[in-house]
Amino acid sequence: MSDVCKKNYIRDIYRKIEGAVLVSQNEKDHDCTITFQTHSILQRFMLRFDQLQLDCNDHLYIYDGAHAVSSYKVKICDKSKCQGPIKYYWSLDCTPVYKNPGDCCPQSYDCSHLNKLSKDKCYVNGHEYSINETLREEDANACDIECRCMNSDSDNGDAVFICAGTDCAFPGEQPNCFFRHTPNSCCGGTQVCLKEGEERATCEVDGKIYKDGEYFEPKSDPELDCYCMPGYKGENVEPFCKRPKHRYCSPLFRNPGSVLKQCAPVFYDGQNSRTDCSYATRCPNANDTIIHKHDNTKAIETDEGKMCRFGDLLMHIGDELKEGTDPQSSCMKCVCELPPHPTCQKRTDRECGFLWNLSDDMVTVEPTDSITPIA
């Protein structure tokens, strides 16, 4: 690529290369346009990337034409390099804010619409529910049974959806039988018993084989709930797949009080904060303090939209919250990665100074001698 994409010319240089394989070797600051051309307009060609590695600021645009003008057909960037609780913000319908148009990773999210929410209302899919109002079918997932907007038992009495408990019993399968789950069922599905000589149907999805009744998430749309069933031909449509009527890990549905108090999402030590649902939150308390770790060689950011807010505290990118300011914040690292909220991750038990002693009849927690518990 460095031989083709020269930057020391006053104007574009056109070079004809036949049958070439282009190899990039981690070149930096390249702005290069490469045109592939066939002998005839009736001919087609294929672009194949044997190994494609993009940084968070790299972009690959593919145009259908002789020049890189008008609208591009495909834009490729590697969002796996982006940091922060992106799925958390997405589930709250926050708006990504980019430093430059066309950037791959956002520099922050705008969640200002959450400031207009009332603690006496329930919210889902942009719909507002009053106290004692029942969750409508258009907003209910399969396991949202008899959900009603109620005052919670918290000190503030924030409104929250309270649903009937579901206790899914899974009886043992009979010989040569299995349960056929579907996107519309909450607790399993109907038991299907194969006749003599009959084979269980399978589905191939993203190179993996699933059996009839098994759950899968297509890589092209991981938000779909899909189950393998007879007749599946690679199209992720009903009755095989269905999009949830509301996002499963929406904090506004599960724990709206934490959203109103602008608490930070908390993830287990093995979770990916970018793609996974948070399991808890850390809320501000009077003892919170900031450990400043931002880059002192750069100008200090003064735009609050590019800083994390935690209670009355403002954090620069890289700053951390002190651990253990209350029981809720023990053994977790909270860093300002992607404003407006810090990202919190539980540390491993070994980092926290505890080892689990597992036996057949008991579980004990033993402090380790070689590790000092984090204050």
Side-chain angles (χ1 to χ4, degrees), residues 44-175:
R44 297 288 185 267
F45 63 86
M46 179 181 69
L47 285 177
R48 188 183 72 185
F49 301 96
D50 289 332
Q51 187 176 14
L52 182 63
Q53 293 180 331
L54 299 175
D55 197 357
C56 59
N57 294 316
D58 292 340
H59 304 277
L60 175 63
Y61 299 92
I62 300 177
Y63 295 84
D64 185 9
H67 303 283
V69 295
S70 188
S71 299
Y72 48 81
K73 290 289 184 181
V74 180
K75 174 187 174 183
I76 302 175
C77 67
D78 189 358
K79 290 188 177 293
S80 67
K81 302 292 177 61
C82 303
Q83 293 184 322
I86 291 179
K87 187 167 186 175
Y88 178 80
Y89 291 136
W90 171 79
S91 66
L92 289 172
D93 290 320
C94 297
T95 304
V97 179
Y98 297 91
K99 183 177 181 180
N100 301 302
D103 280 356
C104 185
C105 299
Q107 67 173 356
S108 65
Y109 274 79
D110 181 3
C111 302
S112 57
H113 67 288
L114 300 175
N115 298 329
K116 302 176 183 178
L117 302 183
S118 169
K119 73 181 190 69
D120 299 319
K121 302 286 185 180
C122 296
Y123 299 91
V124 60
N125 293 337
H127 300 153
E128 184 180 272
Y129 287 77
S130 300
I131 298 296
N132 291 325
E133 191 173 355
T134 302
L135 182 67
R136 295 186 288 272
E137 183 179 352
E138 63 187 275
D139 293 326
N141 289 331
C143 287
D144 294 334
I145 301 173
E146 298 182 9
C147 297
R148 187 181 297 271
C149 181
M150 305 285 287
N151 287 116
S152 67
D153 295 331
S154 65
D155 295 336
N156 296 325
D158 301 318
V160 64
F161 282 109
I162 297 178
C163 307
T166 54
D167 186 8
C168 297
F170 295 97
E173 294 180 357
Q174 301 297 319

Side-chain angles (χ1 to χ4, degrees), residues 11-37:
R11 58 186 178 84
D12 292 340
I13 299 296
Y14 294 92
R15 302 171 60 190
K16 183 178 180 181
I17 305 174
E18 294 187 6
V21 176
L22 297 178
V23 178
S24 175
Q25 296 180 333
N26 297 322
E27 296 90 349
K28 297 184 181 295
D29 300 324
H30 269 318
D31 185 2
C32 188
T33 301
I34 299 175
T35 303
F36 298 88
Q37 184 175 341

Side-chain angles (χ1 to χ4, degrees), residues 317-343:
I317 300 296
D319 285 351
E320 298 181 13
L321 290 172
K322 183 180 179 181
E323 298 181 40
T325 57
D326 66 355
Q328 185 189 48
S329 63
S330 296
C331 198
M332 70 171 61
K333 182 178 181 180
C334 297
V335 184
C336 179
E337 292 182 321
L338 184 63
H341 301 302
T343 308

Side-chain angles (χ1 to χ4, degrees), residues 266-279 345:
V266 179
F267 302 86
Y268 287 114
D269 64 276
Q271 284 188 287
N272 184 331
S273 62
R274 181 181 60 84
T275 58
D276 293 341
C277 297
S278 60
Y279 82 94
Q345 196 114 24

